[in-house]
Amino acid sequence: MIKQLVGRVREYKKDALLTPFFVVLEVVMEVVIPTVMALLIDRGIDAGNLGAIWKYGLILIVCAMLALVFGALAGTFASRASAGFARNLRHDMYYAVQDFSFSNIDKFSTASIVTRLTTDVTNVQNAFQMCTRIAVRCPVMLIFSLIMAFRINNQVAWVFVGVLPILGIGLGILMKIVAPVFARVFKTYDRMNTVVQENLRGIRVVKAYVREEHETEKFQSVSGRLYREFSKAQKTMACAMPLMQICMYACILLISWFGARLIVGGSMTTGELTSLFSYVMQILISLMMVAMVFVMITMSRASAQRISELLTEQADLHDPENPVTAVKDGSIRFENVSFSYKGDHHKFALHGVNLDIKPGQTVGILGGTGSAKSSLVQLIPRLYDVTEGSVKVGGVDVRAYHLETLRDEVAMVLQKNVLFSGTIKENLRWGNEKATDEELKRVCKLAQADEFISQMPDGYDTHIEQGGTNVSGGQKQRLCIARALLKKPKILILDDSTSAVDTKTDALIRRAFVEEIPETTKLIIAQRVSSVQDADQIIVMDNGCINAVGTHDELLRSNEIYQEVYRSQQKGGEE
């Protein structure tokens, strides 16, 4: 995991390596200062030598200035390296998600992916910066200060050595207690993001059903859980400071006692005792900073694991070694196809599907909720791979195609229509980024969208809010159909994508399909019989299987499910 994450430093390696170099130089200057101070006291002030005072005073100033410069350089390089590291992490994670299949995305919730790209990356970034600066500074400061303390008086210096194990064991116990708490915290973050996203996306439904209080309770519940987990972790880590202070004051008292006896005995000078006190502070502050690094690393460890999970996730769908790069026609053939979302052979969403669709045909698909209509059509552009059997487009198994080639020839208007923030033109050009204004207008006329677009103040330059919240459901559907038509596909799939338009508009759209794109194979999933009754063949789905295939008249004579749907809709229409 660590090797994988460190590899993301890439072009910022130089900054990452220069950081500890300047940190070491800064520490050297800071360690030299107490020794120079001791010389200033002993040879200058106590001896009454003004020349020595000037000499050592100037050396102190130079050391302090150098420490300042080295510290500033270390901070600059550390910031640049950590920010670049975080940038590369987000870049790689985002591009990894782009390659995921639907099943990969199903494995990670949307909220979890957002948390990993934001909070988790920030935690790892902070830990990386601390590792390149403080995690280097503390051990170096500790070692150099101990060396200098032993140089001054090895009897007193053993006080430090006696305190270090106590502090180390205490911090280790605290880290072991806190680590699992932080692992739970980030899962709670995922849940909180899910609650917030659901609320914001469905705010109109929340207000329509007066469920603000319920949503507030949901948020307060998960927010309270997050508060309790963090509080528990922080309370545990708060014990680090008292432990540090006990060790620090114990060192100062012991050094004062031993130092006073040695000064009286003449084996230590006042300046040396003063410098020892400085080294006490440097050593113990270093240890306190080590504790902070441990806290940050403990927090970031859970984040690093979550980031690594996303980066190591292998996409389920891959291009073959020698992919087919051209789709001959829009023919579709299902050969004994069974499909399970989780690859479980005991829980098939589709089972034993055999189907033959000729190029240019219009095929209607009807069935009750949960009958696997959407699952059936999602196998055609290879959004999922079949569990058993094969799906062929243009006479070739979809798994043999280059993914981009296949999906360029299969335009799909999903059940949940999505528009992005930007102008209508920008949204439409998702179908063909090089499309001219005339081509945009043509497909919008086919999708019966040109009329309402022309009535907007800015026409095709009208800005669409995120998710298409400033257009109606029917307008959004028509824009998505126009976007799909712009691809000029060999296969067009409409997954219940005219449900929000009236029957007249629906009929006009279907007539435009027949007249303008006769060679395109059209699959229309619908709830209304009127939307598919003119199709070349109609597929009736039931419980993941094909119940019947035929024309409107044939099914009306022979299929009970189709008869029931037709009668219920006719009866409703008459009433």
mmCIF file of all heavy atoms in Angstrom, residues 331-357:
data_model
loop_
_atom_site.group_PDB
_atom_site.id
_atom_site.type_symbol
_atom_site.label_atom_id
_atom_site.label_comp_id
_atom_site.label_asym_id
_atom_site.label_seq_id
_atom_site.Cartn_x
_atom_site.Cartn_y
_atom_site.Cartn_z
ATOM 1 N N SER A 331 -27.694 -5.340 -36.041
ATOM 2 C CA SER A 331 -28.342 -6.589 -35.640
ATOM 3 C C SER A 331 -27.919 -6.963 -34.217
ATOM 4 O O SER A 331 -26.786 -6.709 -33.802
ATOM 5 C CB SER A 331 -27.985 -7.721 -36.602
ATOM 6 O OG SER A 331 -26.591 -7.979 -36.572
ATOM 7 N N ILE A 332 -28.857 -7.573 -33.473
ATOM 8 C CA ILE A 332 -28.588 -7.950 -32.078
ATOM 9 C C ILE A 332 -29.044 -9.394 -31.887
ATOM 10 O O ILE A 332 -30.147 -9.770 -32.317
ATOM 11 C CB ILE A 332 -29.361 -7.035 -31.094
ATOM 12 C CG1 ILE A 332 -29.003 -5.561 -31.328
ATOM 13 C CG2 ILE A 332 -29.054 -7.424 -29.652
ATOM 14 C CD1 ILE A 332 -29.942 -4.600 -30.636
ATOM 15 N N ARG A 333 -28.199 -10.175 -31.234
ATOM 16 C CA ARG A 333 -28.565 -11.569 -30.985
ATOM 17 C C ARG A 333 -28.162 -11.967 -29.561
ATOM 18 O O ARG A 333 -27.002 -11.838 -29.174
ATOM 19 C CB ARG A 333 -27.873 -12.481 -31.999
ATOM 20 C CG ARG A 333 -28.325 -13.933 -31.927
ATOM 21 C CD ARG A 333 -27.633 -14.756 -33.005
ATOM 22 N NE ARG A 333 -28.055 -16.153 -32.969
ATOM 23 C CZ ARG A 333 -29.149 -16.623 -33.560
ATOM 24 N NH1 ARG A 333 -29.948 -15.794 -34.225
ATOM 25 N NH2 ARG A 333 -29.466 -17.903 -33.499
ATOM 26 N N PHE A 334 -29.150 -12.425 -28.784
ATOM 27 C CA PHE A 334 -28.905 -12.974 -27.450
ATOM 28 C C PHE A 334 -28.928 -14.497 -27.570
ATOM 29 O O PHE A 334 -29.922 -15.067 -28.046
ATOM 30 C CB PHE A 334 -29.996 -12.531 -26.472
ATOM 31 C CG PHE A 334 -29.871 -11.116 -25.996
ATOM 32 C CD1 PHE A 334 -30.161 -10.052 -26.837
ATOM 33 C CD2 PHE A 334 -29.463 -10.836 -24.699
ATOM 34 C CE1 PHE A 334 -30.048 -8.745 -26.404
ATOM 35 C CE2 PHE A 334 -29.359 -9.535 -24.249
ATOM 36 C CZ PHE A 334 -29.637 -8.479 -25.104
ATOM 37 N N GLU A 335 -27.853 -15.140 -27.139
ATOM 38 C CA GLU A 335 -27.767 -16.597 -27.227
ATOM 39 C C GLU A 335 -27.652 -17.204 -25.832
ATOM 40 O O GLU A 335 -26.611 -17.146 -25.192
ATOM 41 C CB GLU A 335 -26.568 -17.005 -28.089
ATOM 42 C CG GLU A 335 -26.698 -16.588 -29.544
ATOM 43 C CD GLU A 335 -25.501 -17.018 -30.378
ATOM 44 O OE1 GLU A 335 -24.484 -17.454 -29.793
ATOM 45 O OE2 GLU A 335 -25.584 -16.918 -31.625
ATOM 46 N N ASN A 336 -28.772 -17.721 -25.355
ATOM 47 C CA ASN A 336 -28.826 -18.402 -24.053
ATOM 48 C C ASN A 336 -28.190 -17.556 -22.942
ATOM 49 O O ASN A 336 -27.351 -18.033 -22.175
ATOM 50 C CB ASN A 336 -28.128 -19.763 -24.147
ATOM 51 C CG ASN A 336 -28.683 -20.757 -23.144
ATOM 52 O OD1 ASN A 336 -29.831 -20.631 -22.723
ATOM 53 N ND2 ASN A 336 -27.883 -21.725 -22.764
ATOM 54 N N VAL A 337 -28.595 -16.301 -22.860
ATOM 55 C CA VAL A 337 -27.978 -15.340 -21.936
ATOM 56 C C VAL A 337 -28.595 -15.423 -20.544
ATOM 57 O O VAL A 337 -29.819 -15.384 -20.384
ATOM 58 C CB VAL A 337 -28.121 -13.899 -22.484
ATOM 59 C CG1 VAL A 337 -27.732 -12.884 -21.408
ATOM 60 C CG2 VAL A 337 -27.261 -13.726 -23.719
ATOM 61 N N SER A 338 -27.723 -15.536 -19.554
ATOM 62 C CA SER A 338 -28.116 -15.402 -18.148
ATOM 63 C C SER A 338 -27.195 -14.364 -17.519
ATOM 64 O O SER A 338 -26.019 -14.268 -17.871
ATOM 65 C CB SER A 338 -27.993 -16.739 -17.409
ATOM 66 O OG SER A 338 -28.913 -17.684 -17.934
ATOM 67 N N PHE A 339 -27.737 -13.592 -16.594
ATOM 68 C CA PHE A 339 -26.949 -12.491 -16.030
ATOM 69 C C PHE A 339 -27.281 -12.295 -14.563
ATOM 70 O O PHE A 339 -28.450 -12.296 -14.160
ATOM 71 C CB PHE A 339 -27.221 -11.194 -16.799
ATOM 72 C CG PHE A 339 -26.671 -9.966 -16.135
ATOM 73 C CD1 PHE A 339 -25.304 -9.767 -16.047
ATOM 74 C CD2 PHE A 339 -27.517 -9.029 -15.569
ATOM 75 C CE1 PHE A 339 -24.787 -8.640 -15.413
ATOM 76 C CE2 PHE A 339 -27.020 -7.895 -14.946
ATOM 77 C CZ PHE A 339 -25.649 -7.706 -14.863
ATOM 78 N N SER A 340 -26.216 -12.138 -13.755
ATOM 79 C CA SER A 340 -26.348 -11.830 -12.332
ATOM 80 C C SER A 340 -25.466 -10.639 -12.018
ATOM 81 O O SER A 340 -24.313 -10.584 -12.445
ATOM 82 C CB SER A 340 -25.920 -13.033 -11.488
ATOM 83 O OG SER A 340 -25.848 -12.678 -10.123
ATOM 84 N N TYR A 341 -25.988 -9.677 -11.280
ATOM 85 C CA TYR A 341 -25.226 -8.464 -10.969
ATOM 86 C C TYR A 341 -24.000 -8.762 -10.113
ATOM 87 O O TYR A 341 -22.993 -8.078 -10.214
ATOM 88 C CB TYR A 341 -26.115 -7.443 -10.258
ATOM 89 C CG TYR A 341 -27.021 -6.697 -11.211
ATOM 90 C CD1 TYR A 341 -28.357 -7.066 -11.361
ATOM 91 C CD2 TYR A 341 -26.537 -5.646 -11.970
ATOM 92 C CE1 TYR A 341 -29.188 -6.386 -12.246
ATOM 93 C CE2 TYR A 341 -27.358 -4.964 -12.862
ATOM 94 C CZ TYR A 341 -28.676 -5.344 -12.995
ATOM 95 O OH TYR A 341 -29.488 -4.672 -13.881
ATOM 96 N N LYS A 342 -24.070 -9.768 -9.272
ATOM 97 C CA LYS A 342 -22.948 -10.080 -8.390
ATOM 98 C C LYS A 342 -22.237 -11.366 -8.798
ATOM 99 O O LYS A 342 -21.439 -11.913 -8.046
ATOM 100 C CB LYS A 342 -23.441 -10.184 -6.942
ATOM 101 C CG LYS A 342 -23.957 -8.860 -6.395
ATOM 102 C CD LYS A 342 -24.340 -8.970 -4.939
ATOM 103 C CE LYS A 342 -24.816 -7.622 -4.399
ATOM 104 N NZ LYS A 342 -25.210 -7.710 -2.981
ATOM 105 N N GLY A 343 -22.548 -11.844 -10.010
ATOM 106 C CA GLY A 343 -21.910 -13.067 -10.474
ATOM 107 C C GLY A 343 -22.376 -14.311 -9.748
ATOM 108 O O GLY A 343 -21.745 -15.368 -9.822
ATOM 109 N N ASP A 344 -23.484 -14.185 -9.000
ATOM 110 C CA ASP A 344 -24.029 -15.308 -8.238
ATOM 111 C C ASP A 344 -24.928 -16.147 -9.144
ATOM 112 O O ASP A 344 -25.960 -15.679 -9.629
ATOM 113 C CB ASP A 344 -24.827 -14.778 -7.041
ATOM 114 C CG ASP A 344 -25.263 -15.892 -6.099
ATOM 115 O OD1 ASP A 344 -25.181 -17.068 -6.489
ATOM 116 O OD2 ASP A 344 -25.691 -15.571 -4.977
ATOM 117 N N HIS A 345 -24.563 -17.399 -9.362
ATOM 118 C CA HIS A 345 -25.311 -18.269 -10.266
ATOM 119 C C HIS A 345 -26.654 -18.703 -9.678
ATOM 120 O O HIS A 345 -27.447 -19.350 -10.365
ATOM 121 C CB HIS A 345 -24.480 -19.495 -10.630
ATOM 122 C CG HIS A 345 -23.317 -19.176 -11.518
ATOM 123 N ND1 HIS A 345 -23.319 -19.428 -12.868
ATOM 124 C CD2 HIS A 345 -22.124 -18.574 -11.261
ATOM 125 C CE1 HIS A 345 -22.175 -19.029 -13.408
ATOM 126 N NE2 HIS A 345 -21.432 -18.516 -12.444
ATOM 127 N N HIS A 346 -26.889 -18.360 -8.433
ATOM 128 C CA HIS A 346 -28.171 -18.704 -7.807
ATOM 129 C C HIS A 346 -29.138 -17.518 -7.794
ATOM 130 O O HIS A 346 -30.276 -17.661 -7.375
ATOM 131 C CB HIS A 346 -27.926 -19.191 -6.372
ATOM 132 C CG HIS A 346 -27.044 -20.401 -6.295
ATOM 133 N ND1 HIS A 346 -27.456 -21.665 -6.693
ATOM 134 C CD2 HIS A 346 -25.756 -20.536 -5.892
ATOM 135 C CE1 HIS A 346 -26.473 -22.525 -6.530
ATOM 136 N NE2 HIS A 346 -25.430 -21.879 -6.043
ATOM 137 N N LYS A 347 -28.645 -16.347 -8.216
ATOM 138 C CA LYS A 347 -29.501 -15.153 -8.208
ATOM 139 C C LYS A 347 -29.388 -14.427 -9.548
ATOM 140 O O LYS A 347 -28.725 -13.402 -9.658
ATOM 141 C CB LYS A 347 -29.096 -14.205 -7.064
ATOM 142 C CG LYS A 347 -29.365 -14.768 -5.676
ATOM 143 C CD LYS A 347 -28.983 -13.768 -4.592
ATOM 144 C CE LYS A 347 -29.254 -14.328 -3.204
ATOM 145 N NZ LYS A 347 -28.859 -13.363 -2.133
ATOM 146 N N PHE A 348 -30.007 -14.991 -10.560
ATOM 147 C CA PHE A 348 -29.952 -14.406 -11.893
ATOM 148 C C PHE A 348 -31.018 -13.316 -12.041
ATOM 149 O O PHE A 348 -32.182 -13.514 -11.675
ATOM 150 C CB PHE A 348 -30.188 -15.472 -12.969
ATOM 151 C CG PHE A 348 -28.982 -16.319 -13.236
ATOM 152 C CD1 PHE A 348 -29.033 -17.692 -13.046
ATOM 153 C CD2 PHE A 348 -27.800 -15.755 -13.686
ATOM 154 C CE1 PHE A 348 -27.918 -18.489 -13.297
ATOM 155 C CE2 PHE A 348 -26.690 -16.539 -13.942
ATOM 156 C CZ PHE A 348 -26.744 -17.904 -13.738
ATOM 157 N N ALA A 349 -30.607 -12.166 -12.596
ATOM 158 C CA ALA A 349 -31.573 -11.126 -12.966
ATOM 159 C C ALA A 349 -32.204 -11.482 -14.312
ATOM 160 O O ALA A 349 -33.382 -11.200 -14.562
ATOM 161 C CB ALA A 349 -30.883 -9.770 -13.054
ATOM 162 N N LEU A 350 -31.412 -12.089 -15.201
ATOM 163 C CA LEU A 350 -31.892 -12.598 -16.499
ATOM 164 C C LEU A 350 -31.541 -14.073 -16.590
ATOM 165 O O LEU A 350 -30.466 -14.488 -16.139
ATOM 166 C CB LEU A 350 -31.223 -11.850 -17.654
ATOM 167 C CG LEU A 350 -31.658 -10.415 -17.923
ATOM 168 C CD1 LEU A 350 -30.673 -9.744 -18.861
ATOM 169 C CD2 LEU A 350 -33.060 -10.374 -18.514
ATOM 170 N N HIS A 351 -32.442 -14.841 -17.194
ATOM 171 C CA HIS A 351 -32.176 -16.276 -17.250
ATOM 172 C C HIS A 351 -32.629 -16.854 -18.591
ATOM 173 O O HIS A 351 -33.785 -16.687 -19.001
ATOM 174 C CB HIS A 351 -32.915 -16.999 -16.114
ATOM 175 C CG HIS A 351 -32.603 -18.466 -16.047
ATOM 176 N ND1 HIS A 351 -31.389 -18.944 -15.614
ATOM 177 C CD2 HIS A 351 -33.347 -19.546 -16.366
ATOM 178 C CE1 HIS A 351 -31.401 -20.265 -15.669
ATOM 179 N NE2 HIS A 351 -32.581 -20.663 -16.129
ATOM 180 N N GLY A 352 -31.697 -17.499 -19.288
ATOM 181 C CA GLY A 352 -32.020 -18.227 -20.505
ATOM 182 C C GLY A 352 -32.650 -17.394 -21.602
ATOM 183 O O GLY A 352 -33.603 -17.828 -22.258
ATOM 184 N N VAL A 353 -32.098 -16.221 -21.869
ATOM 185 C CA VAL A 353 -32.669 -15.322 -22.884
ATOM 186 C C VAL A 353 -32.115 -15.647 -24.264
ATOM 187 O O VAL A 353 -30.901 -15.671 -24.469
ATOM 188 C CB VAL A 353 -32.374 -13.839 -22.533
ATOM 189 C CG1 VAL A 353 -32.856 -12.928 -23.650
ATOM 190 C CG2 VAL A 353 -33.029 -13.463 -21.219
ATOM 191 N N ASN A 354 -33.005 -15.892 -25.204
ATOM 192 C CA ASN A 354 -32.637 -16.072 -26.610
ATOM 193 C C ASN A 354 -33.455 -15.090 -27.438
ATOM 194 O O ASN A 354 -34.684 -15.031 -27.300
ATOM 195 C CB ASN A 354 -32.920 -17.497 -27.068
ATOM 196 C CG ASN A 354 -31.927 -18.489 -26.486
ATOM 197 O OD1 ASN A 354 -30.788 -18.559 -26.911
ATOM 198 N ND2 ASN A 354 -32.361 -19.252 -25.483
ATOM 199 N N LEU A 355 -32.766 -14.314 -28.263
ATOM 200 C CA LEU A 355 -33.446 -13.227 -28.966
ATOM 201 C C LEU A 355 -32.698 -12.897 -30.248
ATOM 202 O O LEU A 355 -31.465 -12.935 -30.283
ATOM 203 C CB LEU A 355 -33.483 -11.993 -28.051
ATOM 204 C CG LEU A 355 -34.353 -10.811 -28.429
ATOM 205 C CD1 LEU A 355 -35.813 -11.211 -28.497
ATOM 206 C CD2 LEU A 355 -34.173 -9.691 -27.403
ATOM 207 N N ASP A 356 -33.448 -12.580 -31.308
ATOM 208 C CA ASP A 356 -32.819 -12.225 -32.578
ATOM 209 C C ASP A 356 -33.491 -10.969 -33.129
ATOM 210 O O ASP A 356 -34.694 -10.970 -33.395
ATOM 211 C CB ASP A 356 -32.961 -13.387 -33.564
ATOM 212 C CG ASP A 356 -32.068 -13.206 -34.787
ATOM 213 O OD1 ASP A 356 -31.246 -12.273 -34.791
ATOM 214 O OD2 ASP A 356 -32.201 -14.003 -35.737
ATOM 215 N N ILE A 357 -32.723 -9.891 -33.254
ATOM 216 C CA ILE A 357 -33.245 -8.605 -33.744
ATOM 217 C C ILE A 357 -32.472 -8.226 -34.998
ATOM 218 O O ILE A 357 -31.238 -8.166 -34.988
ATOM 219 C CB ILE A 357 -33.107 -7.506 -32.667
ATOM 220 C CG1 ILE A 357 -33.876 -7.903 -31.398
ATOM 221 C CG2 ILE A 357 -33.595 -6.166 -33.194
ATOM 222 C CD1 ILE A 357 -33.600 -7.009 -30.206
#
